[in-house]
Amino acid sequence: MAFDADWEEVGRLLLPPPGPQALPTPVQTLAFDGSQELLWTGNEFGRVASFYGTELQRYTSFKGGDGPIRQLLVHDKGVIALASRSVHMAVRRGGPLWHITHDEMKDLRCMSYTSKGASEILVAGLQDQMFTIDVEKGTIIKQISTPDHYTIMKKSSRYICAATQKGSVNILDPTNFALVRSWSAHQSLINDMDAQTDFVVTCGYSLRQQQSYMLDPLVNAFDLKNMVSLSPIPFPAGAAYVRMHPRMSSTCVIVSQQGQIHVVDLMNVNTSTVRHANVMTYLSMIEIAPSGEAIGLADAECNIHLWGSPSRIRFAAEVSQPSEFPDPEEIHPHVDWAFETSLSTIGLPFYREQLLSAWPSHMIFEVGAPPPKLDHQLMSSFKSTEWGGYGRLVRPVQRNVTENTRTAEKTATSLQAPKFLSEKARESANDSSGERRSSDVADAIGATELSSLKAEVPVMYRNVEIKYSKFGVDDFDFGFYNRTAYSGLEIHISNSYANPLLQVLHFTPLIRNLALQHAATSCLSESCLLCEIGFLFDMLEKAEGSICQATNLLKTFSNHPQAAPLGLLEEDAPGAALTTMLQGLTRFLLDRLAQDWRSIPPHSLAFEQVLSTAATTSIRCMNCRSEHTRPGSTYVTELAYPLPKVMVRNARAPKNSFSQILKASVERETTSRGWCSRCQRYQSLATRKTIHSVPAVLVLNAAINSPEARQFWSIPGWLPEEIGVILENGQFFCYQGEDLKFHIQRGSHNITIYSLIGLAADIDSGQHQKSHLVSLVNVAHSQTVAPGESQWHLFNDFLVRPIPSEEALSFNTSWKLPSVITYQVKAANNRIDNTWKLNLDTSILYTDENTNLGEKVYRPLDRLHEAPGEGTIVALDTEFVSVRQPEIEVNSEGERETIRPIVYALARVSVVRGSGEDEGLPFIDDYIASKEPIVDYLTSYSGIVHGDLDPRISKRNLLPLKVTYKKLWILLNLGCKFLGHGLKQDFRVTNIHVPKAQVIDTIDFFYVKERLRKLSLAFLAWCVLKEDIQLETHDSIEDARTALKLYKKYLEFQDAGILEMIVQDIYNKGKETNYKPPTLKRDGHLIERTETPPIGALGGHGPSTPGPGPTTPVRRPLGLAPTAGGSPFSGPGWTPGKGLGGSPLR
């Protein structure tokens, strides 16, 4: 760190003159690069030059503007140069990105990044106008008037600090640039200023009695957090320049014009480190590198002095990115060319990356067309003649229409989207071969060759998109993308970048078992992510290949108070790299899961023991050798790759295996700067770890942040499917391959074998597609019986397909790199624990959480007499509200395309008893408190009105979604059968998967496939039951009871053998009424819908006059005699649902 004992001048450079015959010019501005080993300078003629490394080797030089360069800002994409009348940005190689001038740019002096980070800068100067500039686009965003003229600008973590001509510092809001506070720092002028975290420091001039300016012998400091001045720092030599240390928040470096350097802590100004720079004249400026390991000094003789520790000096803050250098001119050997010279003597290069000659698609135009291909059978029927052959040509196009022969020549670059299910249904009704044609495209999934070594991204790795028809997402054919028994996850949900991690955790048996065991407990916490993951894992297993969605889990995650501050939400970090977000999510999620497990009695540490690597960290001061320790554990280990070393010519570079890098990452020995309590100052501290225990599930973040790290993953087979770990005397030893086999055979150590469960990988599909994440999982380890061989699968959201092991474990540095890797103890493979189903806490079904004092239309189940079990029928209906309107795009031809479908949220859930004395009586009638803003209550369809879902004013039984969902989930796992009408949408919005064996859907009982129309509940109630429901609005209790009655009638018709005839009659009746019940009126007005009667009105135990149950009609051999109306429903003697009169046969 700054000015240790070994610091010295390591380099000196005379700034090159602006021309061949010109004299050297002094440095106008200095800036160290934050990501590469470059030092940037600007001179008085507008030229920007950079120098590489500690030897200050000339790198680039370009024109940045007219007149002196006032300031340089380093950006990820290049460097920004400020001149008096322009702002210029160029890449590090010197090529311009943009150049901005404006009539109001008269005397610019300073600039700073704003609250938008590196995407926007604020420029100002000795003028009345400031400008904000979009760095990405190179355009002026806004022009701002200012009463003050500014000479220096520095950005702290909170504010922009701007020095004025009058010796004061204006503290500006970085968002709207309003003046927050003005601090009078010096009497006359401010010569230099810097800001870091919560401090701003200045040095300047005062006007003496002889009317001359002299440097102040004090450095003034200001606390930006508390908005108070701090004690000034004495500097008798006259403070000319000052910089805050980039790594130590309260340390500053003060320099005089004669070269005296003090390093002072703002919290203890009486102690300092003193050095002296050997200069022959006065210094003109200083700059400190972002790493804190180097300082640049410029003097009046046009020299640049570089100070630092010869053994540790570097410029970049973190790991340096490599700088691009021109390729050396390749000398080709002379070839004596003769007629007999073999062409094979000239070698051809092999490229694995895209070449510069690969022009973008919009600049390539097709000229000409390939000739049409003739059918082989047609050619065989040609009549031969002396000059060839001829025959009848049958073209697939009309006369005078040219055949497009290019389409046949092109190969698909992406997987063609399948037809909508509604289209396939219409085709299959009209053409029996339609299904065959649609499956031909689906064969592309199996036929497309997957290879991670290809330069281009294979089709199956690319982004998959959901297409929406007028029927919404339910009409999309997800089965086209997945023919396996393993379910994919939908992607149209916020923060669905988490899908790959969820898939990997689901196939990790130890985590899967603990999540389901926790979900079966009495936990009702709304923020419990472990419960939600347990629900999701259960859904993925029950779905058996059907599409699933993690809606409830991702909603709970999005609403978690810690998620947004950590930058884990997509809406808060639109430009962040998904692989970085996923690695942050992994740390956050595993920590939350361990806390959620501990929250339920007996508050065990089982989850923590499965995930945590327990260690003791020893910290030793390199100066006084004092040492202290602190215990700690980590759930995620970040891989640490060795830094590149300067190799001797012709020496072989050492090859590190995965197990060696894992060992170094777990033990992680580092040296950093920190506070030593014994030395009472900042010293170099050595840190090492002593490992006490290893976890059963080893989760690794790949942390590939450098080209050197990428090179490891380009090695074929570098990631092993099995590793062995030995823990001995606090040391962590890791083995793979032949070394692992050797230690297993020896058996002298207690070695723990780990199997690779899976990994999440980052896929970079190129310039025209955003990167996305997939998961590669060996599903063999999560089966109840070990299959004996690896079964790797690719999970690209809802696209799932098996792949070879070599494909799963091969990576490509240009487009496929791992992000999160999971290993599990081999002994735990295939240990699937389903005992949680025997320990379900069902108390929630027998308790009433309703605190409202109003009348109740439901009664919870009786634990003694109504305990649900296998085969118990319950009638279900739900109501929804809309939380997002659909986004529809209309093209120039008037065609409408749904970009994003309408999004529903669960608003009400009603479940009624399907049998027993209280048949038809609800035992669940929950309204769901919504945390999302409701855009449409859909009152005419849902019966939900404003205020029903507001906890402050609602008189309903308002509960969190988690509580209601858990009731349904318990009923599902008890084996209950859910009865209702059109339950597919209910299950989808609820985000639950119910196996077909547990679904009784009356929409399928009264349905004829050839008619291509499913009948509504209101129409069936009117036609079959002679009841009018859903008048003006819906009531979920009424709908559930009606579906139950329809089911009873269905059983009657089926037992009597008249079901087919009844259904045909229903369709004939529907054709007459357009499949809608007639509108009822009374006194010229629609009949208002009545509320569901409370329990009291039902006699306390159900209907007040519960007639006998539905009877089973006797089969009559002669059939039914038609009534006068031609339909069995038109006779006046049949009243559905009235005991024995309920049968049309009586």
Side-chain angles (χ1 to χ4, degrees), residues 530 633 730 803 957:
L530 187 53
S633 60
I803 57 175
N957 180 30

Side-chain angles (χ1 to χ4, degrees), residues 68-270:
I69 300 296
R70 302 293 188 182
Q71 187 179 346
L72 294 169
L73 276 182
V74 181
H75 188 272
D76 287 342
K77 295 183 178 179
V79 62
I80 305 170
L82 181 76
S84 298
R85 295 179 175 271
S86 64
V87 187
H88 182 87
M89 183 173 184
V91 297
R92 288 176 171 81
R93 299 189 306 273
L97 290 174
W98 47 258
H99 184 86
I100 297 175
T101 59
H102 192 275
D103 292 340
E104 294 295 330
M105 291 182 176
K106 300 174 181 177
D107 193 1
L108 299 178
R109 292 299 182 96
C110 53
M111 57 182 171
S112 168
Y113 289 121
T114 69
S115 60
K116 295 183 180 179
S119 63
E120 183 183 83
I121 59 173
L122 174 69
V123 297
L126 302 181
Q127 56 184 45
D128 299 331
Q129 299 292 326
M130 298 192 298
F131 299 88
T132 55
I133 296 175
D134 188 324
V135 176
E136 301 293 335
K137 299 178 181 178
T139 57
I140 295 175
I141 302 173
K142 189 167 50 175
Q143 190 172 337
I144 307 163
S145 298
T146 173
D148 294 302
H149 293 180
Y150 297 120
T151 57
I152 306 172
M153 268 190 182
K154 298 290 182 177
K155 187 177 183 301
S156 71
S157 59
R158 298 169 181 266
Y159 306 102
I160 295 175
C161 302
T164 70
Q165 278 186 305
K166 301 176 183 178
S168 62
V169 176
N170 285 357
I171 300 169
L172 307 179
D173 188 307
T175 304
N176 56 17
F177 315 116
L179 181 63
V180 177
R181 178 78 179 269
S182 183
W183 169 50
S184 180
H186 297 272
Q187 292 181 6
S188 298
L189 301 173
I190 294 178
N191 188 56
D192 201 6
M193 177 183 74
D194 199 13
Q196 177 87 9
T197 58
D198 294 328
F199 301 104
V200 56
V201 289
T202 64
C203 53
Y205 291 92
S206 296
L207 193 61
R208 300 306 181 191
Q209 293 179 356
Q210 293 82 10
Q211 300 298 311
S212 62
Y213 291 102
M214 291 187 63
L215 287 169
D216 284 336
L218 297 173
V219 173
N220 293 324
F222 189 80
D223 186 342
L224 294 171
K225 183 176 182 181
N226 301 309
M227 289 295 176
V228 296
S229 297
L230 300 177
S231 300
I233 305 169
F235 193 77
Y241 311 104
V242 63
R243 285 291 179 270
M244 293 296 298
H245 196 282
R247 292 299 186 90
M248 295 182 284
S249 59
S250 63
T251 300
C252 69
V253 180
I254 309 169
V255 182
S256 72
Q257 287 184 328
Q258 290 73 34
Q260 187 172 334
I261 305 172
H262 286 202
V263 182
V264 185
D265 189 341
L266 295 179
M267 301 294 99
N268 186 8
V269 299
N270 295 320

Side-chain angles (χ1 to χ4, degrees), residues 838-873:
L838 307 176
N839 303 317
L840 276 172
D841 188 306
T842 60
S843 58
I844 192 173
L845 298 176
Y846 311 111
T847 56
D848 187 5
E849 301 86 2
N850 190 357
T851 57
N852 288 322
L853 301 177
E855 294 178 316
K856 298 178 181 180
V857 297
Y858 67 94
R859 192 189 69 232
L861 294 174
D862 186 342
R863 186 187 294 269
L864 297 178
H865 305 100
E866 296 181 306
E870 191 80 25
T872 301
I873 295 177

Side-chain angles (χ1 to χ4, degrees), residues 23 31 114 899 1135:
L23 296 174
T114 69
I899 306 301
T1135 307

Side-chain angles (χ1 to χ4, degrees), residues 1036-1099:
S1036 53
I1037 292 179
E1038 179 187 47
D1039 291 354
R1041 286 173 176 163
T1042 304
L1044 183 60
K1045 293 177 185 178
L1046 278 176
Y1047 176 61
K1048 302 292 183 180
K1049 298 307 296 181
Y1050 163 78
L1051 294 178
E1052 289 183 21
F1053 298 149
Q1054 188 181 50
D1055 191 66
I1058 60 174
L1059 178 63
E1060 186 175 344
M1061 184 190 67
I1062 293 292
V1063 174
Q1064 292 296 340
D1065 249 343
I1066 294 173
Y1067 273 94
N1068 293 335
K1069 191 78 172 179
K1071 195 171 183 180
E1072 298 173 7
T1073 63
N1074 198 22
Y1075 299 95
K1076 294 180 181 179
T1079 304
L1080 296 183
K1081 293 185 178 181
R1082 178 181 299 163
D1083 299 330
H1085 299 284
L1086 290 172
I1087 300 175
E1088 294 291 336
R1089 170 185 171 278
T1090 56
E1091 289 291 333
T1092 305
I1095 291 180
L1098 299 176

Side-chain angles (χ1 to χ4, degrees), residues 652-777:
R652 296 183 61 184
K655 293 184 178 179
N656 296 86
S657 66
F658 175 83
S659 55
Q660 289 173 324
I661 286 183
L662 179 58
K663 169 182 169 60
S665 304
V666 172
E667 295 182 333
R668 197 174 289 260
E669 295 186 5
T670 60
T671 303
S672 59
R673 190 75 169 175
W675 181 259
C676 176
S677 56
R678 185 172 177 179
C679 297
Q680 287 296 301
R681 60 179 296 179
Y682 284 97
Q683 298 285 9
S684 294
L685 303 179
T687 305
R688 62 181 177 83
K689 284 186 176 181
T690 302
I691 310 301
H692 301 303
S693 65
V694 291
V697 176
L698 187 62
V699 182
L700 312 173
N701 278 347
I704 305 173
N705 301 319
S706 67
E708 291 77 22
R710 287 172 174 262
Q711 290 305 313
F712 287 109
W713 293 101
S714 66
I715 302 172
W718 193 69
L719 180 67
E721 284 202 67
E722 279 192 358
I723 58 174
V725 171
I726 297 175
L727 199 62
E728 192 171 273
N729 298 326
Q731 286 188 288
F732 180 95
F733 300 95
C734 188
Y735 304 95
Q736 68 184 73
E738 295 299 324
D739 291 340
L740 175 60
K741 293 179 182 178
F742 174 74
H743 280 280
I744 294 175
Q745 290 173 356
R746 286 183 59 190
S748 58
H749 296 279
N750 183 18
I751 188 167
T752 305
I753 310 298
Y754 286 84
S755 298
L756 178 61
I757 298 296
L759 57 96
D762 181 43
I763 306 298
D764 186 358
S765 300
Q767 297 178 357
H768 303 293
Q769 292 191 32
K770 62 180 182 180
S771 64
H772 65 288
L773 300 165
V774 302
S775 53
L776 304 150
V777 182

